[in-house]
């Protein structure tokens, strides 16, 4: 069976992430979307909240499973017998960073984990979780960037922060 992992922070998941999930799910028999519990980064949404959002977003995609993990992504891959990692590329700036990570992951997994890059759909190339959070914090419209349940969750998070 052809399986792949799409790892990320997904804080929160955007329509850009969802587009990559949909496209990758058509390429593999099983796609595991896993939220990285990264103690280095301060997240707005808890890991459970991020998993819930991804589960809701992928509920109609029968070959997609949502999970979370801590530690090295290659360790998660090897423990779960996964050898392909999916990453999304928006611009040249993503490429430099992602290339280095992909090469490092290949090296430290003893060439057992490879990365496949999907280029963003142009309509989402400007989109990042950080800008979505920034816009939502100040009451801006994020309806074109995230599903409605994520927009509602963002409103709830920032309720009372302004005023
Ligand atoms: P990270 O895993 O680096 O903390 P994210 O959770 O934001 O970052 O992103 C996970 C993956 O999704 C990364 O490969 C990132 O490049 C990709 N990605 C993020 N936003 C988009 C987008 N708008 N279009 C396509 N890919 C994206």
């Amino acid at each position: 069976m052809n399986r792949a992992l799409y790892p990320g922070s997904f804080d929160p998941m955007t329509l850009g992430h969802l587009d990559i999930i949909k496209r990758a799910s058509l390429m593999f028999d099983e796609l595991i979307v896993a939220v990285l519990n990264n103690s280095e980064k301060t997240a707005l949404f808890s890991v459970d909240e991020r998993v819930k959002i991804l589960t809701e977003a992928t509920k109609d995609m029968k070959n997609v499973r949502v999970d979370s993990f801590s530690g090295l992504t290659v360790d998660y891959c090897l423990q779960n017998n996964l050898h392909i990692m999916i990453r999304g590329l928006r611009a040249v700036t993503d490429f430099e960073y992602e290339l280095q990570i992909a090469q490092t992951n290949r090296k430290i997994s003893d060439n057992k984990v490879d990365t496949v890059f999907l280029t963003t759909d142009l309509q989402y190339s400007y989109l990042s979780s950080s800008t979505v959070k920034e816009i939502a914090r100040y009451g801006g419209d994020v309806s074109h960037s995230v599903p409605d349940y994520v927009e509602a969750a963002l409103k709830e998070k920032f309720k009372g922060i302004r005023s």
Side-chain angles (χ1 to χ4, degrees):
M1 194 158 82
N2 213 354
R3 300 160 73 230
L5 171 74
Y6 180 31
S9 306
F10 304 112
D11 184 40
M13 182 205 75
T14 67
L15 293 178
H17 293 130
L18 190 54
D19 176 60
I20 298 286
I21 294 172
K22 279 184 191 153
R23 288 158 57 199
S25 75
L26 300 175
M27 296 173 184
F28 295 91
D29 298 316
E30 187 181 27
L31 178 71
I32 290 110
V33 182
V35 175
L36 169 60
N37 188 2
N38 187 347
S39 48
E40 298 280 297
K41 281 190 187 173
T42 317
L44 177 66
F45 290 92
S46 71
V47 170
D48 279 357
E49 289 169 327
R50 287 180 265 161
V51 165
K52 257 193 204 136
I53 288 170
L54 285 161
T55 306
E56 171 66 23
T58 57
K59 65 179 185 219
D60 294 327
M61 296 179 220
K62 296 296 170 230
N63 65 335
V64 176
R65 188 159 60 78
V66 181
D67 196 7
S68 63
F69 69 101
S70 313
L72 289 177
T73 310
V74 286
D75 286 343
Y76 178 86
C77 284
L78 297 176
Q79 281 154 14
N80 292 281
N81 202 23
L82 292 157
H83 301 281
I84 300 172
M85 211 186 283
I86 305 289
R87 296 289 286 175
L89 289 178
R90 285 163 293 192
V92 182
T93 41
D94 273 348
F95 180 76
E96 274 186 41
Y97 170 75
E98 294 288 349
L99 179 68
Q100 191 186 17
I101 302 275
Q103 286 172 335
T104 304
N105 284 338
R106 197 168 139 78
K107 182 85 186 157
I108 63 174
S109 68
D110 211 9
N111 299 343
K112 289 192 178 74
V113 178
D114 252 314
T115 304
V116 169
F117 293 109
L118 291 182
T119 52
T120 182
D121 188 301
L122 276 183
Q123 63 175 319
Y124 303 128
S125 60
Y126 68 95
L127 206 55
S128 74
S129 298
S130 332
T131 51
V132 163
K133 284 183 280 192
E134 192 69 7
I135 294 166
R137 177 185 298 275
Y138 296 105
D141 179 12
V142 293
S143 61
H144 299 292
S145 308
V146 294
D148 50 1
Y149 43 89
V150 176
E151 190 184 357
L154 282 162
K155 274 205 180 112
E156 191 58 32
K157 285 277 175 199
F158 292 122
K159 199 169 68 181
I161 285 191
R162 289 166 290 118
S163 77

